[in-house]
Amino acid sequence: LFAALTSSISLMETIVSIVMDKFKLSRKKACVTVILLSIILGLLSTLGYSIWKDFTLIGFQFLDFFDFISNSVLMPIVAFLTCIFVGYIIKPDMFVEEIELTGKFKRKKLFLIVIKYFAPICIVLILISSVLDALGIVRI
């Protein structure tokens, strides 16, 4: 409980800081605003299986919808963008050099092929299949 509480406080600190900067609010007002919005979102997800069970977003209960968006859509998109960023923008050589500081990187060519070509293709396929599966178009 203590670990979860302290972790959630540190995560909320970022949001409070953004709200303070964006809306020019005092720390106290920003904290109250963030807490209230968090409680409202939390209530929506907890009541999604009881009194609001008939309310759905594209066929999902409220909590299931956000679980689908975060796990099946956002995670593959972020993974794809990470591969593109590492493979083409900052170049994999930076990672190879870092790895070779402690010894020979025996699978360097395999790493380069996977990060530039294989992983992005697989991630896009995972994204497409999870969206199609969630929409009931294709079951895998």
Side-chain angles (χ1 to χ4, degrees):
L1 177 68
F2 185 70
L5 182 62
T6 56
S7 295
S8 64
I9 290 171
S10 68
L11 291 170
M12 296 300 261
E13 175 58 32
T14 305
I15 298 169
V16 169
S17 175
I18 292 169
V19 168
M20 286 172 58
D21 292 343
K22 184 79 172 168
F23 299 106
K24 307 291 187 238
L25 293 175
S26 68
R27 180 169 192 72
K28 190 173 187 176
K29 287 180 183 178
C31 285
V32 169
T33 302
V34 169
I35 288 170
L36 289 176
L37 288 172
S38 299
I39 289 171
I40 291 168
L41 284 173
L43 281 174
L44 290 174
S45 63
T46 57
L47 297 175
Y49 287 106
S50 59
I51 61 174
W52 291 341
K53 66 179 180 248
D54 296 326
F55 175 73
T56 59
L57 298 165
I58 64 168
F60 291 105
Q61 300 289 350
F62 189 81
L63 183 60
D64 293 335
F65 173 75
F66 284 102
D67 179 58
F68 164 72
I69 292 296
S70 66
N71 293 333
S72 299
V73 177
L74 292 178
M75 280 188 191
I77 288 172
V78 169
F80 175 78
L81 293 174
T82 300
C83 288
I84 298 304
F85 184 70
V86 169
Y88 297 98
I89 296 173
I90 63 170
K91 308 290 186 208
D93 297 334
M94 183 177 116
F95 293 95
V96 171
E97 289 173 13
E98 185 73 25
I99 293 168
E100 289 181 336
L101 288 175
T102 58
K104 184 164 173 47
F105 188 14
K106 297 176 183 174
R107 303 280 187 237
K108 182 166 94 173
K109 288 182 182 178
L110 179 63
F111 171 74
L112 296 175
I113 290 169
V114 168
I115 201 72
K116 283 184 156 189
Y117 308 108
F118 186 72
I121 291 169
C122 290
I123 292 168
V124 168
L125 292 174
I126 289 168
L127 174 63
I128 291 169
S129 79
S130 64
V131 169
L132 292 177
D133 183 50
L135 295 177
I137 297 170
V138 175
R139 294 279 178 207
I140 298 175

